Amino acid sequence: MIPEIGHYALVLALFAAGTQAILGLFGTARKDAYWALATGPTASTLFLFLAIAFLALTHAFVVSDFSVWTVANYSHSAKPLLYKLTGVWGNHEGSMLLWVFILAIYGQAIVSFGKKLPPVLRAGALGVLGLLAAGFLLFILFTSNPFLRLDPAPQDGRGFNPLLQDPGLAFHPPFLYLGYVGFAAAFAFAIAGLLEGKIDGAWARRVRPWVLVAWSFLTIGIGLGSWWAYYELGWGGFWFWDPVENASLLPWLAGTALLHSIGVVEKRGALKSWVVLLAILAFSLSLIGTFLVRSGVLVSVHAFATDPARGVFILGLLAVAIGGSLALFAWRAPKLKAEGSFAPISREGGLLLNNLLLVTAAASVFLGTLYPLLLDTLSGEKVSVGPPFFNATVLPLLMPLLLAMGIGPFLPWKKADAMPVLRRLWIAGIVALAAAGAAAALGSGKSPLALLGLWLAAWLFAGTFFLVLERLRLFRLPWKESFRRLRGLPADFLGMAIAHGGIAVLAAGVTAATLWQTEKILAMTPGESVTIAGYDLRFEGVELVAGPNYEAERATFHAEKNGKPVATLTPERRYYPIERQWTTEAAIYTTGFADLYTVIGEQARADGPRTVRLYHNPLAPWIWIGALLAALGGGVSLVGRGRGRRPPKAARGKA
């Protein structure tokens, strides 16, 4: 009965979404206050029906109702509760329901927190969200219904992909979707602004919080995904340029450009058309990411769907949403009058350079991800585009971006003189040089690329740090006054400083873990020892253990450094009998500055040696610390805006 209630709620949600779209879009076009006001209740109705549908599917997974096709194919009664819940979105049907449910959450958030928005803008945005929800609900009901019944119902389920039975993957998809779908809100406001013909500083001030929300959630989602890949896949790395990984990076790059440029519209009234185009681009790339993962055109541990019919449906949705929005942009954008001219060397110029580098990086990732698919479709030729392509095309763009990020916040609006700015930054350059020199002395290699990467990371961090010190006028004012200025720092500035510091930490982690990694692949027997990066590891042997729904071979390594024991590591090979699949579970000892990473492989014969892979990854933990700091920066800026925090006049410095 409950699955039928969920199915019925989906049908009612489709009618609510259609009504919301009609009221919102026609209300905006007619500037009819009654129609505009009615979009709020319809958005709440859509949220209610989708919440019922989502809870009904969750209930089916929790009670292991195997009469529901989705539950029977992606769950099992022996699974721990966490992975029964994860199963709700760990499949194509459930993940699409989560997608549209989050879309409804954003609609309800606009209703709840957007009461001060102009009614026409609010109605237009809700109308666009309603149209998107209607499209996805049609897709779910006609090709991906999660409530289809099985008769007779199997006694038990077929299980769940063991690779996805992990806390990192339990939380990764919801955060990723909160980011993906969050850009739908910015997109909806952009379309509403185009329809109304009103894109100005006030519009940017109202839309920026929604961009901050989406960007922060997407940053956390990508960070969780790379963390999962690092310890769960057992290959010692955090990013493989997998097409599905790239699908999440594309909207993040475009969203980062949008986040920076929308401030130019807010403060200076410039770059209006560019910002609207970026809002369309960020959401379009989110839709393309959905198409890549759900259409079945990709083979990946992340990809769920293999049904070409679904791919064609999503492709149609994508064509309507992207094609329609770009057509509207081509029609209305020329009418957006630019305000506020600026010189090439200025805050606006720096942000524009930042945008161009980010968008070019996104274009390189887009080309490398889709080129093999296009070539296969057009000619049948199979090619593989891997890390060498992306390292050669994307990294050279990100390096000058780090350099520009260190300079940009020092530039004044409208027009700047380069020499005074550089004079304020010379200490940061020296500090960065010293940090890179110290890293070279301590590091395991002298790679010039690694040293350049670390110098850029230290440059950005030091530049951001000195910018904060300038704002506080530390050592130039009494401590008490500097502390008062710290408390009065604008939330936007504080959020920017934390986020830039996080990106610097992340860049240092990526550089060191990639270019200074030490790897050893060995065949070891119990009692043997090996030395890696100053650690002595003794292999004690392998024992069999039983988990809640798996059996495992668990190895034991004792690690010593300078003759003193530091850790015991127990990597595993797990066998999931229901799914008949093996997985590897890495064991990691971290100091915060480096990881000692161990993985065990198969044993060729019963009394033979065991394959062992060992890695030493310098600064690897900084990758996820940096991602969290970056997301925290977005959150600080958002919370500050929500509270309407304004700095005292004394704290509003020129920087």
Side-chain angles (χ1 to χ4, degrees):
M1 183 63 183
I2 290 180
E4 278 68 35
I5 292 175
H7 190 179
Y8 189 52
L10 276 183
V11 175
L12 292 176
L14 175 61
F15 284 103
T19 306
Q20 179 181 328
I22 292 169
L23 288 173
L25 295 176
F26 282 92
T28 302
R30 294 159 54 97
K31 292 188 170 46
D32 188 311
Y34 292 106
W35 286 42
L37 287 173
T39 52
T42 54
S44 297
T45 306
L46 174 64
F47 168 76
L48 177 66
F49 285 137
L50 284 174
I52 291 171
F54 190 77
L55 288 174
L57 186 62
T58 303
H59 176 270
F61 270 89
V62 169
V63 302
S64 297
D65 182 354
F66 299 117
S67 69
V68 177
W69 184 92
T70 310
V71 181
N73 278 276
Y74 298 100
S75 188
H76 191 278
S77 53
K79 280 201 316 176
L81 179 60
L82 174 63
Y83 301 125
K84 287 183 179 178
L85 291 171
T86 306
V88 177
W89 51 82
N91 59 83
H92 170 78
E93 292 77 10
S95 68
M96 295 314 299
L97 178 57
L98 176 65
W99 204 104
V100 75
F101 178 46
I102 290 177
L103 190 68
I105 291 174
Y106 274 103
Q108 180 59 43
I110 291 175
V111 172
S112 301
F113 302 110
K115 292 176 181 171
K116 293 182 180 177
L117 290 172
V120 174
L121 178 67
R122 180 170 173 263
L126 288 174
V128 173
L129 291 182
L131 195 61
L132 290 170
F136 273 88
L137 282 166
L138 282 172
F139 172 71
I140 290 171
L141 286 167
F142 286 102
T143 73
S144 311
N145 187 349
F147 296 108
L148 288 181
R149 288 283 198 177
L150 280 176
D151 186 17
Q155 189 172 1
D156 227 325
R158 296 175 61 184
F160 185 45
N161 185 348
L163 281 174
L164 306 181
Q165 295 185 40
D166 178 85
L169 252 288
F171 300 105
H172 162 64
F175 277 105
L176 203 64
Y177 278 20
L178 283 166
Y180 270 0
V181 185
F183 284 123
F187 169 81
F189 279 113
I191 297 300
L194 282 177
L195 288 171
E196 194 182 358
K198 195 173 181 181
I199 303 288
D200 54 17
W203 173 90
R205 189 161 50 254
R206 292 170 182 130
V207 175
R208 194 159 188 257
W210 301 98
V211 181
L212 276 169
V213 169
W215 184 87
S216 299
F217 278 128
L218 189 56
T219 303
I220 295 173
I222 292 174
L224 278 173
S226 70
W227 179 50
W228 167 81
Y230 180 65
Y231 71 83
E232 179 65 21
L233 296 183
W235 51 281
F238 55 91
W239 198 266
F240 191 63
W241 295 107
D242 177 278
V244 176
E245 290 177 335
N246 294 348
S248 63
L249 184 62
L250 285 168
W252 187 86
L253 290 169
T256 306
L258 173 62
L259 186 61
H260 286 82
S261 57
I262 201 168
V264 180
V265 178
E266 182 180 355
K267 292 185 170 59
R268 296 278 300 139
L271 305 180
K272 293 178 184 175
S273 299
W274 174 244
V275 164
V276 171
L277 185 60
L278 280 177
I280 294 172
L281 183 65
F283 181 61
S284 298
L285 290 172
S286 295
L287 282 180
I288 289 171
T290 303
F291 166 72
L292 289 175
V293 179
R294 311 295 172 221
S295 64
V297 299
L298 295 178
V299 177
S300 165
V301 294
H302 307 72
F304 296 134
T306 54
D307 184 352
R310 293 169 172 170
V312 171
F313 202 116
I314 294 180
L315 200 58
L317 280 175
L318 199 143
V320 171
I322 299 176
S325 56
L326 288 178
L328 178 65
F329 176 78
W331 175 39
R332 301 303 295 263
K335 298 178 182 177
L336 300 176
K337 294 181 180 177
E339 302 167 13
S341 60
F342 57 88
I345 301 178
S346 62
R347 179 76 67 87
E348 297 94 321
L351 290 170
L352 192 57
L353 175 65
N354 154 304
N355 274 218
L356 292 176
L357 290 169
L358 285 167
V359 171
T360 307
S364 298
V365 176
F366 185 85
L367 179 66
T369 304
L370 291 191
Y371 174 70
L373 298 175
L374 286 175
L375 192 65
D376 186 17
T377 304
L378 297 176
S379 67
E381 187 180 348
K382 305 283 186 187
V383 297
S384 175
V385 176
F389 169 82
F390 295 104
N391 291 338
T393 57
V394 178
L395 294 185
L397 294 168
L398 298 184
M399 287 186 172
L401 181 65
L402 292 175
L403 186 67
M405 285 172 68
I407 300 172
F410 284 85
L411 295 170
W413 295 101
K414 200 172 181 180
K415 186 177 181 182
D417 190 348
M419 288 311 296
V421 172
L422 293 178
R423 277 198 293 271
R424 291 163 68 192
L425 277 164
W426 72 270
I427 298 180
I430 297 295
V431 170
L433 205 57
L442 297 172
S444 57
K446 309 293 182 189
S447 162
L449 197 58
L451 293 179
L452 177 59
L454 289 177
W455 182 85
L456 286 168
W459 157 262
L460 175 56
F461 192 89
T464 305
F465 181 71
F466 286 118
L467 183 65
V468 175
L469 292 188
E470 272 196 7
R471 280 290 186 101
L472 303 181
R473 302 189 69 184
L474 200 64
F475 307 122
R476 287 186 286 171
L477 290 176
W479 284 92
K480 191 175 178 181
E481 178 63 17
S482 292
F483 182 70
R484 193 185 69 78
R485 293 173 71 89
L486 175 64
R487 293 179 59 192
L489 283 176
D492 275 351
F493 175 82
L494 202 56
M496 179 277 294
I498 294 172
H500 279 202
I503 295 296
V505 172
L506 188 154
V510 168
T511 301
T514 304
L515 299 174
W516 282 344
Q517 183 188 62
T518 303
E519 175 185 3
K520 286 193 175 183
I521 301 176
L522 308 163
M524 299 184 74
T525 54
E528 280 191 290
S529 295
V530 62
T531 300
I532 180 170
Y535 289 95
D536 297 314
L537 262 76
R538 180 180 170 82
F539 178 41
E540 299 294 343
V542 174
E543 60 177 339
L544 298 179
V545 296
N549 60 337
Y550 61 83
E551 299 161 355
E553 297 175 339
R554 178 181 295 166
T556 300
F557 293 87
H558 289 305
E560 295 183 353
K561 193 165 189 179
N562 300 324
K564 296 180 180 178
V566 293
T568 298
L569 296 110
T570 55
E572 294 181 356
R573 286 187 77 235
R574 292 180 181 174
Y575 179 68
Y576 290 79
I578 298 164
E579 295 84 3
R580 299 180 182 178
Q581 190 173 334
W582 284 91
T583 66
T584 58
E585 303 292 323
I588 302 171
Y589 166 66
T590 183
T591 63
F593 289 91
D595 283 353
L596 186 59
Y597 185 108
T598 59
V599 181
I600 60 165
E602 296 182 23
Q603 196 173 20
R605 60 177 193 276
D607 58 345
R610 171 81 58 170
T611 303
V612 172
R613 282 185 292 129
L614 307 172
Y615 300 88
H616 182 259
N617 297 324
L619 301 189
W622 291 22
I623 296 170
W624 300 286
I625 293 172
L628 279 176
L629 282 174
L632 177 65
V636 167
S637 183
L638 183 68
V639 171
R641 280 175 169 259
R643 292 178 176 175
R645 185 182 181 189
R646 295 288 298 162
K649 289 182 179 178
R652 298 175 197 170
K654 292 181 180 179

